[in-house]
Amino acid sequence: MNTEIKAIITDLDRTLLRTDKTVSDYTNTVLKKCHDMGIILMAATARPERAILTYNDQIGFEAVTTLNGARIVLPHATIENGIKPSSAEAILKKVIKIPGLVLSLETGAGIFSNVPIPEWNATVFDGFPALPTESIIYKILLSCEEKNIQQEVERALTPNTYMTVAEGRLIQIMSVEATKWNGIRVMLEAVGVRQDEAVYFGDDYDDIEPIKNCGVGVAVSNAIGEVIEAADFITESNDEDGVAAYIEKNLL
C-alpha cells in the first residue's frame, strides 16, 4: 500500500462478528495490537447504540456510526439524522395496509413494534400509523413472511427517505442523510484521518459505498456478490476471523 493506514472501520454483523455474535480471542488480540500501534478503530453498523455496548467495551471504538448513520457517536459529540415525523407518518399510512406486515420503529425512546419482538425488547404499540412517541425517529423496519413487499414499500417512500434491504428480508427506511458513508465521513473528519488513510470491512449492500470510497475496501468471503465485486480485496469469512486475518497479514 502506498498510503499508511491510520484508521480501521468495520461493519459488525456477518463481518467482524462471528455468526454466533461473538468476537474471537484472536480478533480481540489483533485489534489490541492495532490500538497499541496507534491505529484508530471505528465501527459502522445498522444496530442501535444499545446493541453494541458489549463490543464497544471489548474493543474500544474511537467512534461509531449506528443505525446506518442515523446516529453517529463521536469522541466529543453525537450527530442525529432522523426521519421527519411528517414523512414517517406518511409512510406508515401506506405500509400499514400490507397484510402480514411486521412493523417496527427505532426511536430515541426505544423500539416500538406492532407485534412482540422479544429479542429486540420492543414495546408493542397498536396505534400505528400514528407515531408512538414525539422522540426522534431513526429508522422504520419492515418485514413480511407472506410475500415480497419491496416494491410496495418503495412506492411509499417520501423524497427525503430511502430504503435498504438487510440479509435479503429486512427492509430499513431512513432519512437520506442517514447513510453509513455519511457517518464514516463525519467520523474520519472528527479524528483527523483522510478517507484514503482508512480501510473498511463489510458484507452487505450498505457497505458498498464505504468500500468504494475508503482507501482500501475489503469484503469478507461470505459477503453478497455486489460487495465482493466492489472490494479491493477479499478476506476470509466472518466465522474464520477474516477482518483480523487481513489486518494481521497486511497492517501489523
Side-chain angles (χ1 to χ4, degrees):
M1 298 178 198
N2 296 325
T3 302
E4 179 186 359
I5 295 298
K6 296 181 179 179
I8 293 167
I9 311 164
T10 182
D11 175 44
L12 294 181
D13 293 287
R14 300 185 73 250
T15 301
L16 183 70
L17 306 184
R18 290 184 168 186
T19 301
D20 64 3
K21 307 302 182 185
T22 62
V23 179
S24 72
D25 291 340
Y26 167 62
T27 293
N28 274 317
T29 298
V30 169
L31 295 180
K32 185 180 184 306
K33 290 179 181 178
C34 294
H35 269 304
D36 295 342
M37 292 176 60
I39 299 175
I40 296 169
L41 302 177
M42 298 185 284
T45 177
R47 290 186 181 219
E49 188 178 354
R50 64 178 181 276
I52 66 168
L53 295 178
T54 299
Y55 308 115
N56 204 14
D57 289 342
Q58 276 183 271
I59 296 165
F61 295 116
E62 184 75 10
V64 290
T65 289
T66 67
L67 297 163
N68 295 93
R71 181 175 170 85
I72 308 159
V73 184
L74 305 172
H76 304 294
T78 298
I79 297 172
E80 297 184 316
N81 298 307
I83 301 171
K84 290 183 178 180
S86 58
S87 296
E89 288 180 328
I91 293 168
L92 292 176
K93 284 178 182 177
K94 294 179 180 179
V95 300
I96 197 67
K97 300 174 184 178
I98 299 173
L101 181 74
V102 176
L103 162 65
S104 299
L105 255 64
E106 184 71 59
T107 79
I111 190 162
F112 297 85
S113 181
N114 64 339
V115 297
I117 307 179
E119 61 268 34
W120 289 358
N121 196 27
T123 298
V124 176
F125 179 72
D126 60 6
F128 293 117
L131 298 179
T133 176
E134 294 183 0
S135 184
I136 187 168
I137 305 295
Y138 293 120
K139 187 187 292 189
I140 300 171
L141 301 162
L142 306 169
S143 64
C144 183
E145 292 187 1
E146 298 176 7
K147 62 174 182 175
N148 187 320
I149 61 172
Q150 292 184 30
Q151 290 187 347
E152 289 179 79
V153 174
E154 192 167 6
R155 289 194 294 268
L157 296 178
T158 58
N160 55 4
T161 59
Y162 77 104
M163 60 177 264
T164 65
V165 182
E167 299 181 11
R169 60 180 183 81
L170 181 65
I171 296 173
Q172 306 175 92
I173 299 174
M174 292 150 290
S175 163
V176 292
E177 302 298 322
T179 70
K180 277 192 177 182
W181 176 238
N182 281 345
I184 289 163
R185 287 193 300 108
V186 170
M187 292 195 301
L188 288 171
E189 183 177 350
V191 299
V193 174
R194 301 193 313 266
Q195 65 189 63
D196 66 313
E197 297 173 324
V199 57
Y200 184 83
F201 297 89
D203 75 288
D204 213 339
Y205 288 107
D206 53 10
D207 298 310
I208 293 174
E209 193 173 13
I211 275 179
K212 286 182 174 180
N213 287 317
C214 283
V216 180
V218 184
V220 285
S221 63
N222 54 288
I224 61 172
E226 291 88 339
V227 172
I228 288 176
E229 184 177 344
D232 300 304
F233 299 98
I234 315 299
T235 188
E236 289 85 349
S237 74
N238 64 317
D239 284 325
E240 298 169 303
D241 301 316
V243 172
Y246 179 90
I247 292 170
E248 186 173 48
K249 187 182 302 180
N250 296 281
L251 303 182
L252 299 184

